[in-house]
């Protein structure tokens, strides 16, 4: 995991989404092994339940024993009628147990600067001592184009996340699944082959790579998108292993049965740690010998 001087170092291997209306799930989420829980006011909550979800999550932050967990709230996006009131009500009424606010569908640095202004003003007004960090979801065409400026727009930024489902909609992709592969996105072997194998490609590779490179260039955590088919553990495992191998720090999860896998895949293996220690040892030795 990368860090720079401003950013709190946190485990972010598994980040569990909990809809703000599913109050029965809150205690379970707090007792789960997820590194971070984010209570959602956005896309898992219907328009007519936005206000009740808001008060549910505030109560949950304050009343539930979250133990060592990092606690986040995903608010509604910049262009909605709910965004400003989400921030104000959260900043006014949550205890210092709240660590992060997650901003979805971020399109520009200007949006982040405005979030920063609002949060900073309310931190002062409501005498909040602990500084709230930001999680940014990149899931629109504009968000991906403006990613560098977005990443640098606030010293509160801690992580860049990929939101595959909304990104698919934003680019006009002909897919409706949340993350994962699509059977129609692939290539057929050259026609001189007798048997022409079909290779499925990863249609999110460009977005993932750009998010990863930008996040780590600026010392932020890079967090992979959720995988919607929570009955497909093998699919989840292959996606998580591939993003861990690229350099991602963790993955958003939408079901408790994905937590253990994410925690183990995004932790370095014993062999990786031993190998890294050996490399360091050999480098120090070489330096001592003037090589
Ligand atoms: C997550 O927010 C997604 O859109 O996939
Ligand atoms: Mg989304």
């Amino acid at each position: 995991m990368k860090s720079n001087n401003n950013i709190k170092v946190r485990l972010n291997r598994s980040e569990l989404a909990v809809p703000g209306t599913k109050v029965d799930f809150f205690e379970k989420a707090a007792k789960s092994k997820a590194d971070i829980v984010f209570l959602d006011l956005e896309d898992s909550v219907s328009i007519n339940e936005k206000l009740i979800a808001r008060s549910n999550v505030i109560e949950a932050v304050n009343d539930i024993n979250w133990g060592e967990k990092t606690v986040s709230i995903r608010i509604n996006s910049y262009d909605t009628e709910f965004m400003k009131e989400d921030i104000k009500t959260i900043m006014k009424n949550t205890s210092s147990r709240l660590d992060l606010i997650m901003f979805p569908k971020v399109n520009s640095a200007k949006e982040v600067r405005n979030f920063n202004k609002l949060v900073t003003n309310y931190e002062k007004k409501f005498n909040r001592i602990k500084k709230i960090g930001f999680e940014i979801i990149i899931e629109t065409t504009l968000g991906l184009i403006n990613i560098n400026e977005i990443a640098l727009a606030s010293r509160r930024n801690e992580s860049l996340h990929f939101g595959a489902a909304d990104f698919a909609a934003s680019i006009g992709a002909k897919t409706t699944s949340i993350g994962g592969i699509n059977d129609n996105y692939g290539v057929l072997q050259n026609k001189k082959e007798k048997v022409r194998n079909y290779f499925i490609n990863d249609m999110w590779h460009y977005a993932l790579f750009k998010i990863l490179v930008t996040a780590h260039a600026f010392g932020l955590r890079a967090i992979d998108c959720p995988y919607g088919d929570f009955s497909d553990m093998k699919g989840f495992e292959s996606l998580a292993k591939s993003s861990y191998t690229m350099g991602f720090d963790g993955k958003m999860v939408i079901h408790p049965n994905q937590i253990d896998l994410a925690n183990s895949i995004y932790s370095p293996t014993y062999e990786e740690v031993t190998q890294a220690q050996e490399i360091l040892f050999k480098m120090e030795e070489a330096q001592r010998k003037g090589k």
Side-chain angles (χ1 to χ4, degrees), residues 219-272:
L220 309 178
R221 299 187 292 275
I223 307 301
D224 190 9
C225 65
Y227 180 50
D229 184 357
F230 53 80
S231 65
D232 177 17
M233 300 307 281
K234 281 210 162 115
F236 180 89
E237 186 174 0
S238 78
L239 293 163
K241 273 192 177 153
S242 119
S243 90
Y244 171 73
T245 306
M246 278 166 88
F248 273 83
D249 299 291
K251 193 164 174 67
M252 291 151 89
V253 299
I254 58 154
H255 193 278
N257 74 5
Q258 299 173 325
I259 296 171
D260 284 346
L261 255 183
N263 285 350
S264 86
I265 291 169
Y266 291 95
S267 300
T269 61
Y270 179 75
E271 285 75 26
E272 284 169 327

Side-chain angles (χ1 to χ4, degrees), residues 16 55 114 173 178-179 181 198 204 212 215 222 228 237 251 287 289:
L16 178 65
S55 65
N114 281 334
I178 304 178
I181 52 123
Y198 178 71
W204 310 122
L212 170 70
E237 186 174 0
K251 193 164 174 67
Q287 206 165 27
K289 291 180 181 162

